[in-house]
Amino acid sequence: MHYQPKTDLLQNRIILVTGASDGIGREAALTYARYGASVILLGRNEDKLRAVAQELNHLYGGTPHWFTLDLLTATPQDCEHLAQKLTGLVPRLDGVLHNAGMLGDVAPMAQQDPQTWQNVMQVNVNATFFLTQALLPLLLKSDAGSLVFTSSSVGRQGRAGWGAYAASKFATEGMMQVLAEEYKQQNLRVNCINPGGTRTAMRASAFPTEDPQKLKTPRDLMPLYLWLMGDDSRRKTGMSFDAQPNRKPGISE
Ligand code: NDP
């Protein structure tokens, strides 16, 4: 995507990022802050989150709020509790990037481990829903809220071996579409990003033989991540965007 955002694109915006400790989410948090946003970091690993918060502090000043929440065990009550804490700290949320995700088994359906299947659904779908439900009141306080889910090419077209992950990403697309319809008369837009194959730990575990140098980095994807959080996408809702529109799904040759 060729997009030249204004340097103050996200000034005065408050944006929460899940899975902010690594990969695409970490890069998104750093990028949103670079364009002026106050970011709130969510993740499951305290040390990694603290390191991202320190990096943000070093680069842009201020101390971002960060919270640990393991989506594998998160209940609706945990998410509500977090939302209550946030309500005491910030007046609203202008953006939420649901980025945290779990890959599960890359294996045929017949060999998908049922417990791993449930874990993938818990992290990618159920906890993402619990968190969305808890954060909606804060998002609706924004005059231009942006709720962004993270999908995948296997969330639009099933592919052998992608089991629970593919099913969870189809569910993610569905959740996005339902919410977009429900809030289309209000100041909340809801969309999906499909990052496309990107140089991260998750990608390396899905394609261990792939040369990571052939993949785009999280930083390369940031124009779309910025555009969806800023005013230039204000009229878009219910859509699923590709961060790498010309990339063919599957292993990079
Ligand atoms: P990474 O593995 O690099 O990062 C995943 C992030 O999610 C990490 O911050 C991780 O935390 C967090 N996370 C994982 N499990 C949990 C959990 N139980 N509770 C809380 N946080 C958790 O992956 P990517 O950056 O590649 O993936 C980001 C998103 O992009 C995912 O939704 C993925 O499905 C999607 N995607 C990625 C593609 C790619 O090629 N990379 C392609 C298509 C979609 P921790 O640091 O503790 O591990």
Side-chain angles (χ1 to χ4, degrees), residues 108-130:
M109 280 292 196
Q111 287 150 34
Q112 290 270 320
D113 172 54
Q115 184 58 54
T116 307
W117 177 285
Q118 290 197 5
N119 292 348
V120 172
M121 290 300 169
Q122 162 65 19
V123 171
N124 295 2
V125 184
N126 299 344
T128 300
F129 162 67
F130 302 153

mmCIF file of all heavy atoms in Angstrom, residues 108-130:
data_model
loop_
_atom_site.group_PDB
_atom_site.id
_atom_site.type_symbol
_atom_site.label_atom_id
_atom_site.label_comp_id
_atom_site.label_asym_id
_atom_site.label_seq_id
_atom_site.Cartn_x
_atom_site.Cartn_y
_atom_site.Cartn_z
ATOM 1 N N PRO A 108 -3.584 -32.209 9.093
ATOM 2 C CA PRO A 108 -4.913 -32.497 8.547
ATOM 3 C C PRO A 108 -5.969 -32.544 9.647
ATOM 4 O O PRO A 108 -5.652 -32.836 10.810
ATOM 5 C CB PRO A 108 -4.758 -33.875 7.904
ATOM 6 C CG PRO A 108 -3.298 -34.077 7.745
ATOM 7 C CD PRO A 108 -2.618 -33.258 8.798
ATOM 8 N N MET A 109 -7.206 -32.308 9.246
ATOM 9 C CA MET A 109 -8.314 -32.322 10.208
ATOM 10 C C MET A 109 -8.322 -33.610 11.027
ATOM 11 O O MET A 109 -8.535 -33.573 12.238
ATOM 12 C CB MET A 109 -9.658 -32.192 9.479
ATOM 13 C CG MET A 109 -9.996 -30.786 9.083
ATOM 14 S SD MET A 109 -10.333 -29.779 10.548
ATOM 15 C CE MET A 109 -11.150 -28.398 9.785
ATOM 16 N N ALA A 110 -8.066 -34.731 10.372
ATOM 17 C CA ALA A 110 -8.126 -36.027 11.055
ATOM 18 C C ALA A 110 -7.116 -36.094 12.196
ATOM 19 O O ALA A 110 -7.279 -36.878 13.129
ATOM 20 C CB ALA A 110 -7.865 -37.158 10.056
ATOM 21 N N GLN A 111 -6.064 -35.283 12.111
ATOM 22 C CA GLN A 111 -5.019 -35.327 13.151
ATOM 23 C C GLN A 111 -4.990 -34.088 14.038
ATOM 24 O O GLN A 111 -4.064 -33.927 14.839
ATOM 25 C CB GLN A 111 -3.659 -35.504 12.482
ATOM 26 C CG GLN A 111 -3.461 -36.907 11.935
ATOM 27 C CD GLN A 111 -2.569 -36.922 10.725
ATOM 28 O OE1 GLN A 111 -1.640 -36.131 10.616
ATOM 29 N NE2 GLN A 111 -2.872 -37.823 9.786
ATOM 30 N N GLN A 112 -5.953 -33.210 13.900
ATOM 31 C CA GLN A 112 -5.964 -32.027 14.771
ATOM 32 C C GLN A 112 -6.236 -32.475 16.204
ATOM 33 O O GLN A 112 -7.225 -33.163 16.469
ATOM 34 C CB GLN A 112 -7.082 -31.057 14.329
ATOM 35 C CG GLN A 112 -6.814 -30.365 13.004
ATOM 36 C CD GLN A 112 -6.077 -29.040 13.147
ATOM 37 O OE1 GLN A 112 -6.345 -28.270 14.059
ATOM 38 N NE2 GLN A 112 -5.152 -28.793 12.253
ATOM 39 N N ASP A 113 -5.390 -32.091 17.118
ATOM 40 C CA ASP A 113 -5.578 -32.449 18.519
ATOM 41 C C ASP A 113 -6.756 -31.649 19.085
ATOM 42 O O ASP A 113 -6.749 -30.410 19.007
ATOM 43 C CB ASP A 113 -4.291 -32.119 19.291
ATOM 44 C CG ASP A 113 -4.481 -32.272 20.785
ATOM 45 O OD1 ASP A 113 -4.912 -33.362 21.199
ATOM 46 O OD2 ASP A 113 -4.225 -31.293 21.524
ATOM 47 N N PRO A 114 -7.781 -32.321 19.618
ATOM 48 C CA PRO A 114 -8.986 -31.605 20.069
ATOM 49 C C PRO A 114 -8.700 -30.518 21.108
ATOM 50 O O PRO A 114 -9.317 -29.451 21.085
ATOM 51 C CB PRO A 114 -9.873 -32.713 20.654
ATOM 52 C CG PRO A 114 -9.436 -33.944 19.950
ATOM 53 C CD PRO A 114 -7.952 -33.776 19.728
ATOM 54 N N GLN A 115 -7.757 -30.773 22.019
ATOM 55 C CA GLN A 115 -7.467 -29.750 23.031
ATOM 56 C C GLN A 115 -6.813 -28.526 22.396
ATOM 57 O O GLN A 115 -7.141 -27.384 22.717
ATOM 58 C CB GLN A 115 -6.560 -30.342 24.132
ATOM 59 C CG GLN A 115 -6.303 -29.364 25.279
ATOM 60 C CD GLN A 115 -7.599 -28.878 25.960
ATOM 61 O OE1 GLN A 115 -8.414 -29.672 26.398
ATOM 62 N NE2 GLN A 115 -7.819 -27.553 26.011
ATOM 63 N N THR A 116 -5.892 -28.775 21.454
ATOM 64 C CA THR A 116 -5.252 -27.648 20.763
ATOM 65 C C THR A 116 -6.296 -26.877 19.955
ATOM 66 O O THR A 116 -6.277 -25.641 19.902
ATOM 67 C CB THR A 116 -4.109 -28.155 19.856
ATOM 68 O OG1 THR A 116 -3.235 -28.954 20.649
ATOM 69 C CG2 THR A 116 -3.325 -27.013 19.242
ATOM 70 N N TRP A 117 -7.225 -27.628 19.332
ATOM 71 C CA TRP A 117 -8.329 -26.974 18.593
ATOM 72 C C TRP A 117 -9.063 -25.999 19.517
ATOM 73 O O TRP A 117 -9.283 -24.837 19.184
ATOM 74 C CB TRP A 117 -9.284 -28.046 18.035
ATOM 75 C CG TRP A 117 -10.484 -27.483 17.320
ATOM 76 C CD1 TRP A 117 -11.587 -26.899 17.890
ATOM 77 C CD2 TRP A 117 -10.680 -27.406 15.908
ATOM 78 N NE1 TRP A 117 -12.458 -26.476 16.921
ATOM 79 C CE2 TRP A 117 -11.935 -26.781 15.695
ATOM 80 C CE3 TRP A 117 -9.936 -27.819 14.796
ATOM 81 C CZ2 TRP A 117 -12.457 -26.561 14.409
ATOM 82 C CZ3 TRP A 117 -10.467 -27.602 13.518
ATOM 83 C CH2 TRP A 117 -11.701 -26.976 13.347
ATOM 84 N N GLN A 118 -9.408 -26.504 20.704
ATOM 85 C CA GLN A 118 -10.143 -25.640 21.648
ATOM 86 C C GLN A 118 -9.304 -24.441 22.075
ATOM 87 O O GLN A 118 -9.839 -23.337 22.239
ATOM 88 C CB GLN A 118 -10.562 -26.443 22.877
ATOM 89 C CG GLN A 118 -11.655 -27.441 22.542
ATOM 90 C CD GLN A 118 -12.381 -27.954 23.781
ATOM 91 O OE1 GLN A 118 -12.132 -27.505 24.889
ATOM 92 N NE2 GLN A 118 -13.274 -28.903 23.599
ATOM 93 N N ASN A 119 -8.013 -24.656 22.257
ATOM 94 C CA ASN A 119 -7.149 -23.536 22.665
ATOM 95 C C ASN A 119 -7.105 -22.450 21.593
ATOM 96 O O ASN A 119 -7.146 -21.255 21.903
ATOM 97 C CB ASN A 119 -5.730 -24.039 22.944
ATOM 98 C CG ASN A 119 -5.654 -24.922 24.181
ATOM 99 O OD1 ASN A 119 -6.611 -24.985 24.956
ATOM 100 N ND2 ASN A 119 -4.546 -25.616 24.354
ATOM 101 N N VAL A 120 -7.004 -22.886 20.341
ATOM 102 C CA VAL A 120 -6.958 -21.909 19.244
ATOM 103 C C VAL A 120 -8.268 -21.119 19.202
ATOM 104 O O VAL A 120 -8.262 -19.886 19.062
ATOM 105 C CB VAL A 120 -6.687 -22.625 17.890
ATOM 106 C CG1 VAL A 120 -6.834 -21.656 16.724
ATOM 107 C CG2 VAL A 120 -5.298 -23.248 17.884
ATOM 108 N N MET A 121 -9.376 -21.822 19.354
ATOM 109 C CA MET A 121 -10.676 -21.133 19.347
ATOM 110 C C MET A 121 -10.793 -20.184 20.548
ATOM 111 O O MET A 121 -11.342 -19.089 20.432
ATOM 112 C CB MET A 121 -11.829 -22.153 19.391
ATOM 113 C CG MET A 121 -11.962 -22.935 18.125
ATOM 114 S SD MET A 121 -12.292 -21.842 16.719
ATOM 115 C CE MET A 121 -12.059 -22.968 15.387
ATOM 116 N N GLN A 122 -10.271 -20.619 21.671
ATOM 117 C CA GLN A 122 -10.321 -19.767 22.873
ATOM 118 C C GLN A 122 -9.546 -18.460 22.651
ATOM 119 O O GLN A 122 -10.042 -17.374 22.913
ATOM 120 C CB GLN A 122 -9.785 -20.540 24.088
ATOM 121 C CG GLN A 122 -9.380 -19.691 25.283
ATOM 122 C CD GLN A 122 -10.535 -18.942 25.949
ATOM 123 O OE1 GLN A 122 -11.702 -19.287 25.771
ATOM 124 N NE2 GLN A 122 -10.225 -17.899 26.709
ATOM 125 N N VAL A 123 -8.306 -18.581 22.158
ATOM 126 C CA VAL A 123 -7.458 -17.383 21.998
ATOM 127 C C VAL A 123 -7.966 -16.523 20.839
ATOM 128 O O VAL A 123 -8.160 -15.308 20.982
ATOM 129 C CB VAL A 123 -5.976 -17.789 21.759
ATOM 130 C CG1 VAL A 123 -5.130 -16.585 21.374
ATOM 131 C CG2 VAL A 123 -5.408 -18.467 23.009
ATOM 132 N N ASN A 124 -8.172 -17.142 19.678
ATOM 133 C CA ASN A 124 -8.434 -16.354 18.464
ATOM 134 C C ASN A 124 -9.881 -15.878 18.372
ATOM 135 O O ASN A 124 -10.139 -14.864 17.713
ATOM 136 C CB ASN A 124 -8.104 -17.176 17.209
ATOM 137 C CG ASN A 124 -6.623 -17.510 17.111
ATOM 138 O OD1 ASN A 124 -5.842 -17.160 17.991
ATOM 139 N ND2 ASN A 124 -6.227 -18.193 16.053
ATOM 140 N N VAL A 125 -10.807 -16.611 18.973
ATOM 141 C CA VAL A 125 -12.227 -16.256 18.804
ATOM 142 C C VAL A 125 -12.871 -15.862 20.134
ATOM 143 O O VAL A 125 -13.346 -14.729 20.293
ATOM 144 C CB VAL A 125 -13.030 -17.420 18.171
ATOM 145 C CG1 VAL A 125 -14.471 -16.979 17.909
ATOM 146 C CG2 VAL A 125 -12.376 -17.889 16.887
ATOM 147 N N ASN A 126 -12.885 -16.792 21.112
ATOM 148 C CA ASN A 126 -13.681 -16.532 22.314
ATOM 149 C C ASN A 126 -13.143 -15.351 23.119
ATOM 150 O O ASN A 126 -13.886 -14.421 23.433
ATOM 151 C CB ASN A 126 -13.728 -17.786 23.210
ATOM 152 C CG ASN A 126 -14.375 -18.962 22.500
ATOM 153 O OD1 ASN A 126 -15.039 -18.789 21.481
ATOM 154 N ND2 ASN A 126 -14.171 -20.156 23.012
ATOM 155 N N ALA A 127 -11.851 -15.392 23.431
ATOM 156 C CA ALA A 127 -11.293 -14.304 24.247
ATOM 157 C C ALA A 127 -11.324 -12.985 23.473
ATOM 158 O O ALA A 127 -11.513 -11.914 24.059
ATOM 159 C CB ALA A 127 -9.873 -14.644 24.685
ATOM 160 N N THR A 128 -11.145 -13.061 22.167
ATOM 161 C CA THR A 128 -11.210 -11.844 21.344
ATOM 162 C C THR A 128 -12.619 -11.260 21.427
ATOM 163 O O THR A 128 -12.798 -10.037 21.519
ATOM 164 C CB THR A 128 -10.811 -12.188 19.891
ATOM 165 O OG1 THR A 128 -9.470 -12.697 19.917
ATOM 166 C CG2 THR A 128 -10.861 -10.978 18.988
ATOM 167 N N PHE A 129 -13.613 -12.135 21.418
ATOM 168 C CA PHE A 129 -15.001 -11.675 21.598
ATOM 169 C C PHE A 129 -15.218 -11.093 23.006
ATOM 170 O O PHE A 129 -15.797 -10.011 23.162
ATOM 171 C CB PHE A 129 -15.977 -12.824 21.330
ATOM 172 C CG PHE A 129 -17.338 -12.582 21.900
ATOM 173 C CD1 PHE A 129 -18.154 -11.567 21.397
ATOM 174 C CD2 PHE A 129 -17.810 -13.349 22.967
ATOM 175 C CE1 PHE A 129 -19.411 -11.318 21.955
ATOM 176 C CE2 PHE A 129 -19.051 -13.105 23.525
ATOM 177 C CZ PHE A 129 -19.851 -12.089 23.017
ATOM 178 N N PHE A 130 -14.746 -11.808 24.044
ATOM 179 C CA PHE A 130 -14.948 -11.311 25.430
ATOM 180 C C PHE A 130 -14.349 -9.904 25.570
ATOM 181 O O PHE A 130 -14.946 -9.006 26.170
ATOM 182 C CB PHE A 130 -14.273 -12.213 26.473
ATOM 183 C CG PHE A 130 -14.704 -13.659 26.473
ATOM 184 C CD1 PHE A 130 -13.824 -14.652 26.924
ATOM 185 C CD2 PHE A 130 -15.967 -14.041 26.036
ATOM 186 C CE1 PHE A 130 -14.205 -15.990 26.931
ATOM 187 C CE2 PHE A 130 -16.345 -15.386 26.045
ATOM 188 C CZ PHE A 130 -15.460 -16.353 26.492
#
